[in-house]
Amino acid sequence: MKRNLLMLLGFVAALLFVALPAHAAVAKETAYIFNTLSFLMHGFLVMWMGAGFAMLEGGLVRSKNTSMQLLKNVAIYAVAGIMFYLVGFDLMFMNVNGGYFGTLSIWSAADAGRGNFSTGSDWFYQMVFVATAASIVSGTLAERIKLWPFIAFVVVLTAFIYPITGAWGWGGGWLSGLGFQDFAGSTLVHSVGGWAALSGAIILGPRIGKFAADGTVHPIPGANMPLATLGTFILWLGWFGFNGGSQAAMGSIADIDAIGTIYINTNLAAAAGVVTAMLLTQLLYKKVDLTMVLNGALAGLVAITAAPLTPSPGMALVIGAIGSILALFAVTVFDKLKIDDVVGALPVHLVAGIWGTLAVPLTDSGASFVSQLTGVVSIGAFVVGVSSIVWLILKYTVGIRVSEEEETIGLDKVELGLEAYPEFGRGSQNV
Amino acid sequence: MKRNLLMLLGFVAALLFVALPAHAAVAKETAYIFNTLSFLMHGFLVMWMGAGFAMLEGGLVRSKNTSMQLLKNVAIYAVAGIMFYLVGFDLMFMNVNGGYFGTLSIWSAADAGRGNFSTGSDWFYQMVFVATAASIVSGTLAERIKLWPFIAFVVVLTAFIYPITGAWGWGGGWLSGLGFQDFAGSTLVHSVGGWAALSGAIILGPRIGKFAADGTVHPIPGANMPLATLGTFILWLGWFGFNGGSQAAMGSIADIDAIGTIYINTNLAAAAGVVTAMLLTQLLYKKVDLTMVLNGALAGLVAITAAPLTPSPGMALVIGAIGSILALFAVTVFDKLKIDDVVGALPVHLVAGIWGTLAVPLTDSGASFVSQLTGVVSIGAFVVGVSSIVWLILKYTVGIRVSEEEETIGLDKVELGLEAYPEFGRGSQNV
Amino acid sequence: MKRNLLMLLGFVAALLFVALPAHAAVAKETAYIFNTLSFLMHGFLVMWMGAGFAMLEGGLVRSKNTSMQLLKNVAIYAVAGIMFYLVGFDLMFMNVNGGYFGTLSIWSAADAGRGNFSTGSDWFYQMVFVATAASIVSGTLAERIKLWPFIAFVVVLTAFIYPITGAWGWGGGWLSGLGFQDFAGSTLVHSVGGWAALSGAIILGPRIGKFAADGTVHPIPGANMPLATLGTFILWLGWFGFNGGSQAAMGSIADIDAIGTIYINTNLAAAAGVVTAMLLTQLLYKKVDLTMVLNGALAGLVAITAAPLTPSPGMALVIGAIGSILALFAVTVFDKLKIDDVVGALPVHLVAGIWGTLAVPLTDSGASFVSQLTGVVSIGAFVVGVSSIVWLILKYTVGIRVSEEEETIGLDKVELGLEAYPEFGRGSQNV
């Protein structure tokens, strides 16, 4: 009888050993796969935003500068990926420990252990974000900046500037210690790009003919509105990856519920940005302005990016609508300041990005206005400071601006030796 | 001894409590995540169809109306999302119980309990469908309808018309009680859009110059075929989301197998639509007509949408091919009737949608021809009736058509104050 | 007492029956769903490459041949899908058993049992690959080949040539027995398309005006660079599906980790291709060549495709950079040989494909240079042989080339009766 009982006990013990840990392991493995899949799937959506910026900017410049704008966006995505591999990821994420930046070493998949997901998938996801920041700069500075000095700036931005401010927030640096909240990067991505673009725009100066001596502003329409619209749709799609993937997990009901909420709020903020811009431009200008509507969508998206999870759907509409309004009025302000921003990237990414970051405490009781403001100001000061130094060094060594004659001819012919649309009417002429 | 046995029993009971429910919970949680992921992933593919319609329609109108067509498609997607949030979802899904529409209240994620998935993900998925129906209308009525009255119609369509007929079928209303089968919306999405467009086209009238007094039809070619082709590819891609996500689950082998079958049938129906249109236009007109080939792909897709799971691959080819043939001949019929459908949306979405719905009983023994016909007719009557009332109210109050002079100049300059391609040759001239 | 014990034993046995197999089944089911999802998700990304080729080629031809190039790419995707269903899948995968091709029968979802995933999802994934090979051919032979003979060749290519060489490698045929390694198809997809295109280009001859009698090469620029850039971005995105899905599983930590690594290496190889092409064209020609930069990205992608998993990130950069360099110099070689390759598909897909295949042993100790070379040569010989026979039969029966006059007018007007951009300046004129 004793032996039977002992056998039975052994049986049960074996069962416990086999069934329970195996069971737990499977659950953990399943969550690991879901989490990693989220980074990969949302990552390829963010990668796709590279095409979005290329199309948006390629459509909003004049045809004589279109090929250059396309090339810059392809180059940005390539350079950002390489620099983030060589320098950026480690600077942003490795051993920041409440400080200002991480420890350098060339990234390898062995830099693991950040969570229950593949480190490679996380690296991929973080990498595609970097290019976004740089694309903002290329849009503002279009039609007059030289190719290679611009690329040089992108190298510095993607290898150092973006990863350092990123370390402050997402890398576990000093700002995150203060409670600074920026879910998917209204500040850490969009404003960083915006501040770098603003510094460049001031140092580079406006395009010939944009601002008359008497202060009037000469609008220079983009050459291809379907391209700009396509770019906006691509960015809108990519934003589900941008915000949804920033949940950084998908392996539990709570996480995937959160992603669903994020998709909804992201979409509603953009929709509110569109409708607001339509109504406002109709009221103010008696005509709906397609370019402002596209930028309204983007401003709504940028604004919701700092906190896409905590707002109610109604608040997401409000946050997006205010982002769109601010972006619309900011256009006039930058024009008054004679800062020439070719595609309207500063109103969208900088202004709506600041708004979104400061609005976080409205819906997230864990955030404080002071911490948010500290983040906005400190990152703004750092990025403007470092960017200005880099722009000025480039300006006074290799030069950053093409000659007046070259600008008049267009960058495509001068620097690339081809035209974007060689067969289309006046496409090859000066406009 | 007794104590040992009792301990053992307690042990086993504990094991059962710990292992089995936990185990079952994980399985359920895993399925929940998969189901929700299906809505999100397939949902972003359907969202992408918004870009598809924008590009398709933007390419098939003349360049003087291109920006307006782009704007309308951006606006549709935004308005549909907001109206579906404010009114549509609840009207379509909440407590329909065999009736005609649901109970109104502003949607919140708390409206849960429809299944083993995140309600938010389902909302997102349903929301992106609404815009599709509205995009069909914008294509048919292009180049002559005023912007704001069109937007007003879209508000009614996405807030009331689509959700009510949706409630009849997918919301558990009276039609579903009759056994009406429409897997992903040949009728509930595509024909609804088609009937609304048809009503509008009749009340709005054809474009100037489309039909001569002697009955001859003057073809007005679209300005940008690459754009139209891109739009078709986008729609084709998005359709995997449209049909695949409509399985409404992915958390079991049976469900994911079904999605695989749906992808295959969806693809084969479109492929058959393409090849059929190529052969037919070659035989009839001695030249392959690219526009008809693109519409052939779409007609195949619309046709398979009512039942993408039950056909064999061979039957999917047949259903797609017949859809393409019907769409091709319907073009001539609508021309004979002097109904001006700018992008060919009626042949594709209305005619192939009816065909697909009526063809369900061929492959699904659970469907009956009578139920299908009842659905087609009742939904057609309702949508035509309500839409016509709305169009007529708009016509006799604010007016729905621009003036002859404005139509000749083009909507871009008149209502938006810009051009789609300001630098391209005759792009700014009247065509 | 005995009865109690027996009850207990029965209890435990029941527990084992219920808990353990159910538990194991769930784990297997979960893996099945993940594996199938990988095929579906990565499959729709590869499907999207069809749009990429359409845009790339539609942008790189002259506007008088643009609609035709778009049509061919739509037709290719449709025909490939149908032929792979009727013939290809079985020829490639069914009972190859170390031989040369499989047994024919019309594919059905019942052709199951190839692994722990839905056969339909696998079919879908394999199907979208076929169109890629055919799209390569259409790019090289653009602007002078007749529509229907081209379609006839695509039928043979997608029904027989591609599936047979595919059977040698991926179908378990003789080449795989030799240890030939080609993870995602540098040879089995890209070089197959390249060899078929090369045969066609030689038999078809160059476009009028491409090569002067004195040996000088007349560059013929593409009409729409934004379109070509968009196509490249689409292909880059699709390549994550192409290479990532080729892991053929996602249901374990090891598999999803592998997919993450594949995404990173794929991206870095493309990035290296971009930067290399920028630097090289700047150094050689004093101007950066956008077309070569786009092809540099693609060459990097093709090169990494044979082994995207085994290289370190650094080696991925090297493999991509060398692919880009080889493609750049190959352009000159093909020009010297007076082989007219309209979009540069031969340097990208054939040359970089061979490079990538031969480079596998550098990072994969399981591969041998001899096996790789055997694969490259045998497949090259077979594809060139069979393709040439098909091209020659077509040439001497129905003819494969339009007349000189038709070529001068452009294929759009002659074979399609429409223009791609009817309103854009010189778009309708001969260039």
Side-chain angles (χ1 to χ4, degrees):
Chain A
M1 187 56 86
K2 269 247 161 101
R3 276 178 62 192
N4 281 352
L5 256 180
L6 284 174
M7 269 177 62
L8 200 58
L9 273 168
F11 215 31
V12 171
L15 193 70
L16 278 167
F17 258 82
V18 171
L20 278 190
H23 168 72
V26 168
K28 205 185 167 216
E29 179 169 351
T30 302
Y32 182 102
I33 298 171
F34 275 124
N35 295 340
T36 303
L37 175 60
S38 176
F39 280 129
L40 295 175
M41 180 182 83
H42 289 120
F44 72 61
L45 288 181
V46 181
M47 177 270 163
W48 185 225
M49 293 173 75
F53 281 109
M55 296 301 112
L56 178 68
E57 299 177 10
L60 290 179
V61 298
R62 285 166 290 180
S63 63
K64 66 182 179 183
N65 298 312
T66 302
S67 293
M68 175 55 87
Q69 206 58 23
L70 299 166
L71 174 71
K72 277 175 187 159
N73 275 279
V74 175
I76 282 167
Y77 182 72
V79 167
I82 295 174
M83 296 319 297
F84 199 63
Y85 156 64
L86 291 176
V87 182
F89 187 87
D90 282 358
L91 207 56
M92 186 158 165
F93 287 112
M94 289 298 115
N95 312 311
V96 179
N97 298 330
Y100 294 91
F101 49 85
T103 50
L104 270 186
S105 73
I106 290 187
W107 179 85
S108 82
D111 295 341
R114 296 182 63 229
N116 186 32
F117 48 80
S118 138
T119 313
S121 72
D122 183 30
W123 184 88
F124 179 73
Y125 188 69
Q126 300 298 339
M127 180 272 297
V128 288
F129 269 60
V130 188
T132 299
S135 289
I136 296 163
V137 184
S138 74
T140 297
L141 308 183
E143 304 205 305
R144 68 242 197 239
I145 196 165
K146 281 186 191 171
L147 173 60
W148 288 103
F150 173 75
I151 299 293
F153 182 82
V154 170
V155 167
V156 178
L157 177 68
T158 59
F160 301 104
I161 299 175
Y162 175 97
I164 287 173
T165 51
W168 297 2
W170 293 337
W174 70 275
L175 252 181
S176 70
L178 292 186
F180 177 71
Q181 303 285 330
D182 189 6
F183 193 85
S186 286
T187 284
L188 292 171
V189 180
H190 294 278
S191 292
V192 164
W195 291 120
L198 178 63
S199 320
I202 293 170
I203 293 168
L204 186 65
R207 288 167 293 173
I208 299 168
K210 174 69 182 174
F211 302 110
D214 63 358
T216 56
V217 179
H218 176 61
I220 303 178
N224 195 327
M225 293 313 295
L227 220 55
T229 306
L230 174 64
T232 304
F233 268 114
I234 292 174
L235 290 169
W236 196 326
L237 170 60
W239 231 286
F240 296 113
F242 206 88
N243 288 358
S246 293
Q247 177 67 13
M250 195 170 73
S252 72
I253 288 184
D255 283 316
I256 193 111
D257 277 359
I259 297 176
T261 302
I262 291 168
Y263 275 35
I264 289 173
N265 284 341
T266 300
N267 198 69
L268 285 173
V274 165
V275 173
T276 305
M278 285 179 70
L279 293 170
L280 218 56
T281 53
Q282 177 71 43
L283 290 173
L284 293 176
Y285 311 129
K286 306 299 170 208
K287 287 187 197 295
V288 176
D289 182 326
L290 175 56
T291 309
M292 265 321 301
V293 171
L294 301 180
N295 277 340
L298 299 177
L301 289 164
V302 170
I304 199 69
T305 293
L309 178 58
T310 48
S312 65
M315 271 306 288
L317 287 171
V318 171
I319 291 168
I322 294 178
S324 181
I325 294 169
L326 292 174
L328 184 62
F329 288 109
V331 169
T332 315
V333 174
F334 285 113
D335 273 349
K336 283 258 162 70
L337 297 170
K338 298 201 178 181
I339 293 168
D340 185 12
D341 173 14
V342 177
V343 305
L346 297 178
V348 167
H349 297 277
L350 178 56
V351 175
I354 293 173
W355 153 243
T357 307
L358 297 180
V360 174
L362 299 181
T363 65
D364 180 358
S365 59
S368 83
F369 183 75
V370 173
S371 297
Q372 299 304 102
L373 193 63
T374 308
V376 167
V377 171
S378 62
I379 287 174
F382 176 80
V383 176
V384 168
V386 177
S387 295
S388 298
I389 293 169
V390 177
W391 286 125
L392 289 169
I393 290 173
L394 289 168
K395 179 170 179 175
Y396 293 111
T397 53
V398 294
I400 55 177
R401 183 153 185 159
V402 298
S403 72
E404 277 203 27
E405 193 198 337
E406 289 170 329
E407 188 177 334
T408 306
I409 296 170
L411 304 183
D412 287 9
K413 273 198 179 161
V414 168
E415 295 203 281
L416 303 183
L418 59 75
E419 295 167 61
Y421 314 99
E423 302 180 33
F424 295 170
R426 297 178 299 149
S428 60
Q429 299 178 15
N430 308 334
V431 176
Chain B
M1 188 59 86
K2 267 247 162 102
R3 275 179 63 191
N4 281 352
L5 255 179
L6 283 173
M7 269 177 61
L8 199 60
L9 274 168
F11 215 34
V12 171
L15 192 70
L16 279 166
F17 257 83
V18 171
L20 277 190
H23 169 72
V26 168
K28 206 187 167 213
E29 179 169 352
T30 302
Y32 181 103
I33 298 171
F34 276 126
N35 295 340
T36 303
L37 176 59
S38 176
F39 280 128
L40 295 176
M41 179 182 85
H42 290 118
F44 72 62
L45 288 180
V46 181
M47 178 270 163
W48 186 224
M49 293 173 75
F53 281 108
M55 296 300 112
L56 178 69
E57 298 177 10
L60 290 179
V61 298
R62 286 166 291 182
S63 63
K64 66 182 178 183
N65 298 312
T66 301
S67 293
M68 176 54 88
Q69 205 59 26
L70 298 167
L71 174 70
K72 278 176 186 159
N73 275 278
V74 175
I76 283 167
Y77 182 71
V79 168
I82 294 174
M83 295 320 297
F84 199 64
Y85 156 64
L86 292 175
V87 183
F89 187 87
D90 282 358
L91 207 57
M92 185 159 166
F93 287 113
M94 288 300 115
N95 312 310
V96 180
N97 298 329
Y100 293 90
F101 49 84
T103 50
L104 270 185
S105 74
I106 290 188
W107 178 84
S108 82
D111 295 340
R114 296 183 62 230
N116 186 32
F117 48 78
S118 137
T119 312
S121 72
D122 183 31
W123 184 88
F124 179 73
Y125 188 69
Q126 300 299 338
M127 180 272 296
V128 288
F129 270 61
V130 188
T132 299
S135 290
I136 295 163
V137 184
S138 74
T140 296
L141 308 183
E143 304 205 305
R144 67 232 195 250
I145 196 165
K146 281 187 192 171
L147 173 60
W148 289 104
F150 173 76
I151 299 293
F153 183 82
V154 169
V155 167
V156 177
L157 178 68
T158 58
F160 301 103
I161 300 175
Y162 175 97
I164 288 173
T165 51
W168 298 1
W170 293 337
W174 70 276
L175 252 181
S176 71
L178 292 186
F180 177 70
Q181 303 284 330
D182 188 6
F183 193 85
S186 286
T187 285
L188 292 171
V189 180
H190 295 278
S191 292
V192 164
W195 292 118
L198 178 64
S199 320
I202 293 171
I203 293 168
L204 186 64
R207 287 167 293 174
I208 299 168
K210 174 69 183 176
F211 302 110
D214 63 358
T216 55
V217 179
H218 175 61
I220 302 177
N224 194 328
M225 293 313 295
L227 219 56
T229 306
L230 175 64
T232 304
F233 267 113
I234 292 174
L235 290 169
W236 195 327
L237 170 60
W239 232 286
F240 297 113
F242 207 89
N243 288 357
S246 292
Q247 177 68 15
M250 196 169 74
S252 72
I253 289 185
D255 283 315
I256 193 112
D257 277 0
I259 297 175
T261 302
I262 290 167
Y263 275 35
I264 290 174
N265 283 341
T266 300
N267 198 70
L268 285 173
V274 166
V275 173
T276 305
M278 286 179 69
L279 293 170
L280 218 56
T281 54
Q282 178 71 42
L283 290 172
L284 293 176
Y285 310 129
K286 308 298 170 207
K287 289 188 196 296
V288 175
D289 181 327
L290 174 57
T291 308
M292 264 321 300
V293 170
L294 300 180
N295 276 340
L298 299 177
L301 289 164
V302 170
I304 200 69
T305 293
L309 178 58
T310 48
S312 64
M315 269 307 287
L317 287 171
V318 171
I319 290 168
I322 294 178
S324 180
I325 294 169
L326 292 173
L328 184 62
F329 286 110
V331 170
T332 316
V333 173
F334 285 113
D335 273 350
K336 282 258 163 71
L337 297 170
K338 299 200 177 180
I339 293 168
D340 185 11
D341 173 14
V342 177
V343 305
L346 297 178
V348 166
H349 297 277
L350 179 56
V351 175
I354 293 172
W355 153 242
T357 307
L358 297 180
V360 174
L362 300 180
T363 64
D364 180 357
S365 60
S368 84
F369 182 76
V370 173
S371 297
Q372 299 304 102
L373 193 63
T374 307
V376 168
V377 171
S378 61
I379 287 174
F382 176 79
V383 176
V384 168
V386 178
S387 296
S388 299
I389 292 169
V390 177
W391 286 124
L392 288 169
I393 290 174
L394 289 168
K395 180 171 179 174
Y396 291 111
T397 54
V398 293
I400 54 177
R401 185 156 183 156
V402 297
S403 72
E404 277 202 28
E405 193 198 337
E406 289 170 330
E407 187 177 335
T408 307
I409 294 171
L411 304 184
D412 286 8
K413 274 198 181 164
V414 168
E415 294 203 280
L416 303 183
L418 58 74
E419 295 168 60
Y421 314 100
E423 302 180 34
F424 296 171
R426 297 178 298 148
S428 60
Q429 299 177 13
N430 309 332
V431 176
Chain C
M1 190 57 88
K2 268 247 161 99
R3 274 179 64 192
N4 281 351
L5 256 180
L6 283 174
M7 269 176 62
L8 199 59
L9 273 168
F11 216 33
V12 171
L15 192 70
L16 279 167
F17 258 82
V18 171
L20 277 190
H23 169 72
V26 168
K28 205 186 168 216
E29 179 169 351
T30 301
Y32 181 103
I33 297 171
F34 276 125
N35 295 339
T36 302
L37 176 59
S38 176
F39 280 130
L40 294 176
M41 180 182 84
H42 289 118
F44 72 62
L45 288 180
V46 181
M47 178 272 164
W48 185 225
M49 294 173 74
F53 281 109
M55 296 301 111
L56 179 68
E57 299 177 9
L60 290 179
V61 297
R62 285 168 290 182
S63 64
K64 67 183 178 182
N65 297 312
T66 301
S67 293
M68 175 55 88
Q69 206 58 25
L70 299 166
L71 174 71
K72 276 175 187 159
N73 275 279
V74 175
I76 283 167
Y77 182 72
V79 167
I82 294 174
M83 296 319 298
F84 199 63
Y85 156 63
L86 292 175
V87 183
F89 187 88
D90 282 358
L91 206 58
M92 185 158 166
F93 287 113
M94 289 299 115
N95 313 309
V96 179
N97 298 329
Y100 294 91
F101 49 85
T103 50
L104 270 186
S105 74
I106 290 188
W107 177 85
S108 82
D111 296 340
R114 295 181 63 229
N116 186 31
F117 47 80
S118 138
T119 312
S121 73
D122 182 32
W123 183 87
F124 179 73
Y125 188 69
Q126 300 298 337
M127 179 272 296
V128 288
F129 270 60
V130 188
T132 300
S135 289
I136 296 163
V137 184
S138 74
T140 298
L141 308 183
E143 303 205 306
R144 65 228 197 254
I145 196 166
K146 280 186 191 171
L147 173 60
W148 288 104
F150 172 75
I151 299 293
F153 182 82
V154 170
V155 167
V156 177
L157 178 68
T158 58
F160 301 105
I161 299 176
Y162 175 96
I164 288 173
T165 50
W168 299 1
W170 292 337
W174 70 274
L175 252 180
S176 71
L178 293 186
F180 177 70
Q181 303 285 330
D182 189 5
F183 193 85
S186 286
T187 285
L188 292 171
V189 180
H190 294 279
S191 292
V192 163
W195 291 119
L198 178 63
S199 318
I202 293 170
I203 293 168
L204 186 66
R207 287 167 293 172
I208 299 168
K210 174 69 182 174
F211 302 110
D214 63 359
T216 56
V217 179
H218 175 61
I220 303 177
N224 195 327
M225 294 312 295
L227 219 56
T229 306
L230 175 64
T232 303
F233 267 113
I234 293 174
L235 290 168
W236 195 327
L237 170 60
W239 232 285
F240 296 113
F242 207 88
N243 288 358
S246 292
Q247 177 66 14
M250 196 169 73
S252 72
I253 288 184
D255 283 315
I256 193 110
D257 277 358
I259 296 175
T261 303
I262 290 168
Y263 274 35
I264 290 173
N265 284 340
T266 300
N267 198 69
L268 285 173
V274 165
V275 173
T276 306
M278 285 179 69
L279 293 170
L280 217 56
T281 53
Q282 177 72 42
L283 290 173
L284 293 175
Y285 310 128
K286 307 298 171 209
K287 288 187 196 297
V288 175
D289 182 327
L290 175 57
T291 309
M292 265 320 301
V293 171
L294 300 179
N295 276 340
L298 299 177
L301 289 164
V302 171
I304 200 69
T305 293
L309 178 57
T310 49
S312 64
M315 270 306 289
L317 286 172
V318 171
I319 290 168
I322 295 178
S324 181
I325 294 170
L326 291 173
L328 184 63
F329 287 109
V331 170
T332 316
V333 173
F334 286 113
D335 273 350
K336 282 258 162 67
L337 296 169
K338 299 200 177 180
I339 292 168
D340 185 11
D341 173 14
V342 176
V343 305
L346 298 177
V348 166
H349 297 278
L350 178 57
V351 174
I354 292 172
W355 153 243
T357 307
L358 297 180
V360 175
L362 299 180
T363 65
D364 179 358
S365 60
S368 83
F369 183 76
V370 173
S371 297
Q372 298 304 101
L373 193 63
T374 307
V376 167
V377 171
S378 62
I379 287 174
F382 175 78
V383 176
V384 168
V386 176
S387 296
S388 298
I389 292 169
V390 177
W391 285 126
L392 290 168
I393 290 173
L394 289 168
K395 179 172 180 174
Y396 292 111
T397 53
V398 292
I400 55 177
R401 185 153 183 159
V402 298
S403 72
E404 275 201 31
E405 193 198 337
E406 289 170 328
E407 188 177 335
T408 306
I409 295 171
L411 304 184
D412 285 9
K413 274 199 180 163
V414 168
E415 294 203 282
L416 303 183
L418 60 75
E419 295 168 61
Y421 313 100
E423 302 179 33
F424 295 170
R426 297 179 301 149
S428 60
Q429 300 179 13
N430 308 333
V431 176

